Amino acid sequence: MIFVRRHVDDFPGLHAYIYISDPGDTFAFHQVLYFVGVRVPVNIMLGAGRHYGDAPHGFRNISNEPVVWQDMLSPQPKPADANPPDTFFVSPGDVPATAERADLRDPRTRFLGHFDDTHLPPAGKMQMEGDTGGNIHGIRLKMLVDHQLGSQHMTLFMVEFTPGGEGVLHDHPFEETYYILSGQAEARLDGKVYPVGPGDFVWTGVGGTHGFFQVGTEPVRWIETQAPQPPAQQGFRFTGEWQYLNEKLHSHGHDHDHDHGHDHSH
């Protein structure tokens, strides 16, 4: 099952919850945020937690302009009235009114990162665990949140397809979301075709067949997430590869029947 939304809101995922939000709490799950088009300063308070998701954190907008971000939670949080709860609010006064910008070159800096266009590699064939190669081309991909940053439940990365680039039909044993930032693409989702562009949002469930094909002269770019994190093997199942296998086995079956009949006549 796959959904395309013009607005980011709740969707029928089992492993992740993702939405667009604007501005101290502690969670018993993992949270990742990508600030969309942010050009204003935001103070973030982060503390060290004992377990995988209990690092206290909060946000304070210290500008006169709104701040918007894409927010992903995994595993999915409990309902607000759950007992026991998995979200615990601390005093909003704990978020400082002033702060220094994090030194992202310092290997001791945790929880934070920064992306700009220089981080994207040249376009080529995708190199990712689980992909046998040659199926996705014209792609520029930069991982942003994964094991290296400390995440255990989700990934978040930037994807760009250059003109002519395509990700042929495939499916996964995990959920994915796509938030289109720029450009146009044709999304083929469980046999249906949708045009997608800036502001559109796509969710693909476990086993949902999907493919994206860049359209026009402008590269298409999106933020992509995965939850749970892909396995080291068999993370991708490309439709074309399995069609080839089916045809090969079917062809060999006919050959075997023919040979068997020929031998029987003698």
Side-chain angles (χ1 to χ4, degrees):
M1 184 180 294
I2 299 177
F3 283 80
V4 179
R5 298 279 176 92
R6 292 292 171 180
H7 302 283
V8 180
D9 53 11
D10 57 327
F11 62 93
L14 298 176
H15 299 283
Y17 184 86
I18 189 165
Y19 56 94
I20 292 295
S21 181
D22 49 15
D25 41 17
T26 297
F27 298 137
F29 43 82
H30 276 187
Q31 180 181 32
V32 60
L33 302 101
Y34 181 85
F35 287 83
V36 181
V38 170
R39 294 294 183 271
V40 298
V42 179
N43 281 353
I44 302 176
M45 181 274 293
L46 293 168
R50 292 174 298 169
H51 306 296
Y52 64 85
D54 65 356
H57 58 283
F59 305 88
R60 183 189 300 274
N61 184 351
I62 57 174
S63 76
N64 295 321
E65 300 180 38
V67 176
V68 178
W69 64 71
Q70 176 178 324
D71 200 341
M72 178 182 179
L73 312 174
S74 181
Q76 277 208 11
K78 294 181 179 180
D81 58 353
N83 186 21
D86 61 359
T87 302
F88 305 88
F89 293 93
V90 296
S91 170
D94 290 340
V95 182
T98 61
E100 294 183 3
R101 187 170 183 83
D103 183 358
L104 300 180
R105 296 184 60 187
D106 189 332
R108 296 170 297 178
T109 299
R110 299 180 61 200
F111 306 121
L112 299 173
H114 177 75
F115 169 82
D116 63 50
D117 284 358
T118 64
H119 297 159
L120 283 173
K125 296 185 182 298
M126 189 177 73
Q127 301 293 324
M128 184 178 282
E129 285 187 337
D131 177 21
T132 56
N135 294 290
I136 297 177
H137 65 272
I139 189 172
R140 305 174 69 197
L141 186 153
K142 171 59 179 176
M143 296 301 301
L144 303 177
V145 177
D146 55 12
H147 287 301
Q148 184 171 332
L149 200 63
S151 174
Q152 302 298 319
H153 293 278
M154 67 183 78
T155 65
L156 180 143
F157 46 100
M158 186 70 69
V159 171
E160 181 179 285
F161 277 99
T162 55
E166 60 182 12
V168 298
L169 293 175
H170 60 285
D171 64 73
H172 306 287
F174 47 83
E175 297 176 0
E176 290 188 314
T177 68
Y178 310 78
Y179 183 65
I180 312 300
L181 298 174
S182 60
Q184 303 289 328
E186 178 184 90
R188 301 181 187 177
L189 311 173
D190 274 349
K192 296 183 179 180
V193 179
Y194 303 89
V196 294
D200 288 342
F201 185 78
V202 179
W203 173 78
T204 63
V206 173
T209 302
H210 56 283
F212 291 87
F213 303 81
Q214 183 274 343
V215 174
T217 59
E218 177 188 0
V220 61
R221 180 179 293 191
W222 62 70
I223 304 168
E224 186 168 340
T225 70
Q226 300 169 327
Q229 288 190 354
Q233 293 182 325
Q234 301 176 348
F236 293 76
R237 181 168 55 186
F238 287 96
T239 305
E241 293 180 344
W242 289 90
Q243 287 177 340
Y244 168 77
L245 176 60
N246 182 55
E247 293 169 0
K248 182 177 180 179
L249 295 176
H250 187 71
S251 173
H252 285 184
H254 277 300
D255 291 343
H256 176 75
D257 292 342
H258 176 77
D259 292 341
H260 180 75
H262 178 75
D263 293 338
H264 181 71
S265 65
H266 287 282

